[in-house]
Amino acid sequence: EIPIMPPIDEIKDDCIDCLKKIEKEIYEKFGNKLILECVCKYGFPVDEINQYAKESNVDMIVMGMEGTSYLSEKIIGNITTSLLKKACCPVLAVDWQVRFKSIKNIVLASDYKDTESKAVLTPLIDVAKLFDSKIFILNVVQELETITTVGKAVEGIKINNALDSVKHSFHYSKSDDVIESINDFVEEHEIDLVVMIPRAHSPLHNLF
């Protein structure tokens, strides 16, 4: 038998119904001081999310990193990963098992390859001020790489100046496994939020 695809309008209506149920649960839990809007778009997820974010002047996109099954994990995970690289504004990616707690410690994983300007770091600074957080700037270098170079020193000064209004400190780690090194740092310093700035041709960009 040839499967019959339901009409698009019917699919959108079902999606809106699901969103409305979530909306109701949020209002019941947190009250009506929140302003919620349920929107359903048809198209390629990353493109549609980006377009909506631009049209609505969105300050931050929040996405899940995993689903409840292998298939949904791959689909949702791939959409989130693509969005992290292409989004027009900051993206907060949250693993489905994570529960919110006050953001006291933040790690900014930086490769010092490009200047982290104050404009780029403004969303991070805003979050740090909101929660009175401390920012740990972590640079992971490979075993054979020299940590101290003139270029990195200059970039460090620029980052230091950009973050002058919030608590911050600089840290270095030598490892050939960047992800493992960041995870170790997260555990050691009880980090609540990991921040990365993906750029083309950057080692951190490849993590996504």
Side-chain angles (χ1 to χ4, degrees):
E1 295 182 2
I2 300 176
I4 300 175
M5 184 74 175
I8 294 300
D9 289 341
E10 184 178 325
I11 295 175
K12 291 181 68 173
D13 289 342
D14 289 341
C15 290
I16 288 294
D17 287 341
C18 291
L19 293 175
K20 287 295 184 181
K21 290 178 181 177
I22 297 173
E23 179 186 56
K24 182 180 178 182
E25 292 174 359
I26 293 175
Y27 278 135
E28 289 176 349
K29 188 172 183 179
F30 299 103
N32 56 10
K33 290 184 179 180
L34 293 172
I35 300 175
L36 305 178
E37 179 184 7
C38 297
V39 178
C40 180
K41 297 283 188 178
Y42 174 74
F44 295 103
V46 174
D47 294 339
E48 292 299 329
I49 293 170
N50 252 334
Q51 185 62 32
Y52 180 81
K54 291 176 183 178
E55 293 173 351
S56 305
N57 295 318
V58 168
D59 297 310
M60 179 178 288
I61 299 170
V62 181
M63 296 282 291
M65 276 303 291
E66 293 187 2
T68 55
S69 68
Y70 177 82
L71 179 60
S72 57
E73 176 180 337
K74 293 302 178 184
I75 294 174
I76 296 174
N78 286 339
I79 293 173
T80 301
T81 301
S82 298
L83 197 58
L84 284 167
K85 294 186 287 187
K86 301 177 182 178
C88 60
C89 66
V91 178
L92 176 60
V94 185
D95 185 89
W96 71 281
Q97 298 183 72
V98 170
R99 295 296 178 264
F100 177 79
K101 62 179 179 177
S102 184
I103 302 173
K104 292 302 179 185
N105 295 320
I106 301 172
V107 61
L108 169 62
S110 175
D111 52 27
Y112 287 8
K113 296 298 183 182
D114 294 297
T115 302
E116 310 289 16
S117 67
K118 193 160 187 175
V120 172
L121 294 173
T122 294
L124 171 59
I125 295 170
D126 290 343
V127 170
K129 287 182 176 179
L130 179 64
F131 293 96
D132 190 26
S133 312
K134 178 179 179 180
I135 300 174
F136 299 78
I137 301 94
L138 175 63
N139 178 215
V140 180
V141 298
Q142 293 183 342
E143 293 290 347
L144 298 178
E145 184 179 351
T146 302
I147 292 179
T148 306
T149 63
V150 174
K152 287 192 174 183
V154 171
E155 294 300 327
I157 292 173
K158 292 177 180 178
I159 295 175
N160 186 58
N161 292 338
L163 299 177
D164 61 354
S165 61
V166 294
K167 296 177 291 185
H168 65 279
S169 59
F170 290 84
H171 303 265
Y172 300 90
S173 175
K174 272 195 170 184
S175 175
D176 289 326
D177 191 328
V178 177
I179 296 176
E180 182 181 0
S181 187
I182 293 174
N183 276 331
D184 289 343
F185 190 89
V186 166
E187 291 186 10
E188 180 182 351
H189 293 84
E190 298 182 342
I191 298 298
D192 303 301
L193 180 66
V194 178
V195 177
M196 294 183 180
I197 302 173
R199 290 181 294 268
H201 311 299
S202 161
L204 288 181
H205 180 85
N206 295 330
L207 291 182
F208 298 102

